[in-house]
Amino acid sequence: MSTDDVKDVPSVAAHDLIPLLDAVDSTPGAAELRARSYDLLRLAAGARVIDVGCGAGRAAAEMTERGARAVGVDIDEQMIALARERWTGPDFRVAAADHLPFADGELTGYRADKVYHVLDDPARALEEARRVVGPGGRIVLAGQDWESFVIDSADPGLTRTIVQARADTMPSPHAGRRYRNLLLDAGCTDVTVEVHTGVLTEQVALPLLSRLADAARNTGAITAEQAEAWTAEQTERGRTGRLFVAIPMFLAAGTRPATG
């Protein structure tokens, strides 16, 4: 779903997230990271693949353009409705990551991007991935670790508090660092891990930073005055070309074993 702060609060209306989703899809390196995830899936013509937590459907559409028979699933009905409006190629369905509407071994590839941090039990979701992917199929996980955000600020201590407080609101903030072991625990072979660091220096990052501060304030970790001052500093950095945010994105892949 990071170079973004999306798909993190299921109660937020889809129409409120769409501008941010679209902005994130246009950030430096976003298209390249998606393309790399498709390469790791080893897509072939006619491959039956799923994009879990598909949001507005861009990745499923891109995989369809590569010749795959892509299915996008999301728990948010509004997102699925929007995806169906935007893209005509893929099949879009409402479904949860731990309860996918497919038979055992029906799929050849599974992709989940910026999803596992919002799940209470990422291991259970991966068990479901292993169920629906046939022997020799590929599983690819992408996303951030919510404690690894690097943000330049005049107040590093306050920034650390904000990042930590935001991470603490996530069900599974450390899912990204766990990808490799989750895949190994699921019995996957040929497991690899890459890190691609997104660097944001433009004002497109300001909604993300504002949401970080708001979340920290809402948890009581910082005061309203601290949130306002920190956000104002970041806004000024954006105005003067001094903004700096770096977010490592972890990309892990493995092969569903032929037996077991």
Side-chain angles (χ1 to χ4, degrees):
M1 98 161 166
S2 153
T3 52
D4 60 58
D5 191 14
V6 298
K7 292 185 278 189
D8 57 342
V9 185
S11 61
V12 175
H15 61 77
D16 293 330
L17 287 177
I18 296 308
L20 185 54
L21 280 167
D22 290 340
V24 166
D25 281 344
S26 301
T27 54
E32 290 81 358
L33 184 62
R34 292 196 304 273
R36 178 57 181 157
S37 73
Y38 310 151
D39 292 341
L40 290 171
L41 279 172
R42 300 174 185 170
L43 293 180
R48 182 76 162 165
V49 299
I50 185 172
D51 188 42
V52 176
C54 67
R58 182 179 298 274
E62 290 177 344
M63 288 190 288
T64 298
E65 291 172 358
R66 289 186 172 217
R69 292 184 296 150
V71 180
V73 303
D74 200 290
I75 198 170
D76 191 318
E77 294 182 3
Q78 294 181 73
M79 284 292 187
I80 291 299
L82 179 62
R84 288 170 177 164
E85 291 177 6
R86 286 190 170 186
W87 316 102
T88 59
D91 177 12
F92 292 106
R93 309 182 192 181
V94 176
D98 59 358
H99 190 69
L100 299 174
F102 300 97
D104 294 358
E106 184 177 347
L107 306 176
T108 57
Y110 171 105
R111 178 183 183 273
D113 183 3
K114 296 182 289 294
V115 174
Y116 276 37
H117 65 263
V118 303
L119 303 180
D120 291 325
D121 190 353
R124 181 178 177 184
L126 199 51
E127 288 176 3
E128 183 71 347
R130 178 187 168 113
R131 181 187 70 79
V132 299
V133 173
R138 297 284 286 171
I139 298 173
V140 175
L141 308 176
Q144 69 276 37
D145 185 294
W146 281 83
E147 289 185 1
S148 67
F149 286 34
V150 178
I151 304 168
D152 192 18
S153 170
D155 192 336
L158 178 59
T159 302
R160 283 193 296 271
T161 298
I162 289 171
V163 171
Q164 182 65 61
R166 184 67 180 102
D168 289 344
T169 68
M170 294 290 174
S172 300
H174 307 131
R177 71 181 69 173
R178 294 182 57 205
Y179 285 160
R180 180 176 184 272
N181 285 332
L182 285 168
L183 289 167
L184 291 172
D185 289 345
C188 290
T189 60
D190 191 24
V191 175
T192 61
V193 182
E194 303 172 3
V195 60
H196 300 254
T197 302
V199 176
L200 305 178
T201 59
E202 304 296 332
Q203 295 185 56
V204 67
L206 289 176
L208 161 64
L209 297 173
S210 178
R211 288 162 70 91
L212 290 176
D214 288 346
R217 181 198 63 217
N218 291 338
T219 65
I222 64 174
T223 66
E225 291 75 16
Q226 287 175 312
E228 182 179 354
W230 190 83
T231 302
E233 182 210 343
Q234 295 301 322
T235 300
E236 179 63 12
R237 284 173 175 269
R239 186 186 70 80
T240 59
R242 296 287 181 165
L243 195 70
F244 182 88
V245 182
I247 306 174
M249 295 291 292
F250 297 95
L251 189 59
T255 301
R256 165 69 157 86
T259 59

